[in-house]
Amino acid sequence: MDTPDTALLILAAGEASRMGEAKQLLPWKGTTLLGHVLQEARASTANKVYVVLGAHAHRIRSQIQFQEEIIMNPEWKKGMGSSIVSGMRHIMQEPPFFSSVLIALADQPLLGHAHFDFLMEGFNTSPYDVVATEYRDGIGVPAIFGRRYFEGLASLEPSQGAKKIVEAAGKTVRSVLPKGDIVDLDTKTEYQDLYTKWGQE
């Protein structure tokens, strides 16, 4: 499978206030949560990987050796939408001019390159303009968006996420079951439980 025109955008700018520390730097499989998702992104068939940083950026950059292009979001306090806007505006301005972008989060360590490739394959082999991950209560990211949605993603309100675009896309959306488990790590208890089961080397 070859996806020469897909950018993979990892959102890692949040403060993680409920966690009480920099979630991106919590240990996971010999690296960190962010380091792990970066490894998975590199192992995918995406053409280029970008990562959006904001809160804790100095610490993150001092502890993680990035191969990816870093996009800084100075307005990270305003919400996830601001990170999507920062990432999309950057991606839309530089060649190669991608025809799709896959948006992923830094705190879903059980979704890796197999799921990223599954989304890209679904996008490239179907007429759908959006392929999103199916949750128990709806659909959302990780999700891949065709170019017709780039402007909408780049114009989100700061408090909005990509789910707004997914829901607005209606019948042009295909949902797929995750290749892995969907777990968002928002609290220390959630992290500790998941780390004990899956995060150790």
Side-chain angles (χ1 to χ4, degrees):
M1 180 176 57
D2 185 21
T3 56
D5 57 358
T6 299
L8 202 166
L9 179 66
I10 298 170
L11 307 181
E15 186 179 19
S17 57
R18 291 174 62 190
M19 188 70 70
E21 59 183 292
K23 183 194 307 186
Q24 302 92 325
L25 296 176
L26 290 172
W28 191 270
K29 289 188 178 295
T31 177
T32 63
L33 280 177
L34 178 54
H36 175 73
V37 74
L38 291 174
Q39 290 175 352
E40 293 297 313
R42 292 167 197 155
S44 78
T45 56
N47 175 253
K48 188 170 181 179
V49 180
Y50 300 82
V51 58
V52 182
L53 297 181
H56 316 295
H58 180 74
R59 285 185 57 205
I60 292 169
R61 296 184 74 161
S62 69
Q63 294 186 42
I64 296 179
Q65 186 172 0
F66 288 93
Q67 301 173 22
E68 296 69 27
E69 187 162 342
I70 296 173
I71 302 167
M72 292 301 302
N73 174 19
E75 299 186 336
W76 58 266
K77 289 183 180 180
K78 294 183 178 180
M80 184 181 293
S82 67
S83 289
I84 295 174
V85 169
S86 293
M88 290 305 302
R89 288 180 178 174
H90 180 91
I91 288 171
M92 290 167 66
Q93 289 178 352
E94 67 167 26
F97 299 106
F98 301 100
S99 63
S100 59
V101 61
L102 195 163
I103 297 177
L105 306 178
D107 63 350
Q108 294 181 321
L110 301 186
L111 293 179
H113 70 274
H115 186 59
F116 298 155
D117 285 348
F118 187 48
L119 288 167
M120 287 185 278
E121 182 179 29
F123 180 84
N124 290 327
T125 59
S126 76
Y128 295 94
D129 294 315
V130 179
V131 180
T133 302
E134 187 172 322
Y135 289 71
R136 293 184 184 89
D137 58 350
I139 54 179
V141 295
I144 184 169
F145 301 84
R147 190 167 184 84
R148 64 178 290 191
Y149 290 102
F150 282 17
E151 289 290 346
L153 290 165
S155 304
L156 285 171
E157 293 295 324
S159 61
Q160 296 172 333
K163 189 174 182 180
K164 178 180 183 293
I165 303 294
V166 172
E167 292 174 343
K171 293 182 179 180
T172 67
V173 177
R174 175 186 177 186
S175 63
V176 297
L177 293 172
K179 293 283 186 180
D181 198 359
I182 301 173
V183 181
D184 292 329
L185 299 179
D186 292 323
T187 68
K188 204 61 176 286
T189 299
E190 291 171 345
Y191 162 72
Q192 290 172 340
D193 288 346
L194 206 68
Y195 179 80
T196 299
K197 292 178 183 178
W198 303 105
Q200 303 177 63
E201 291 187 271

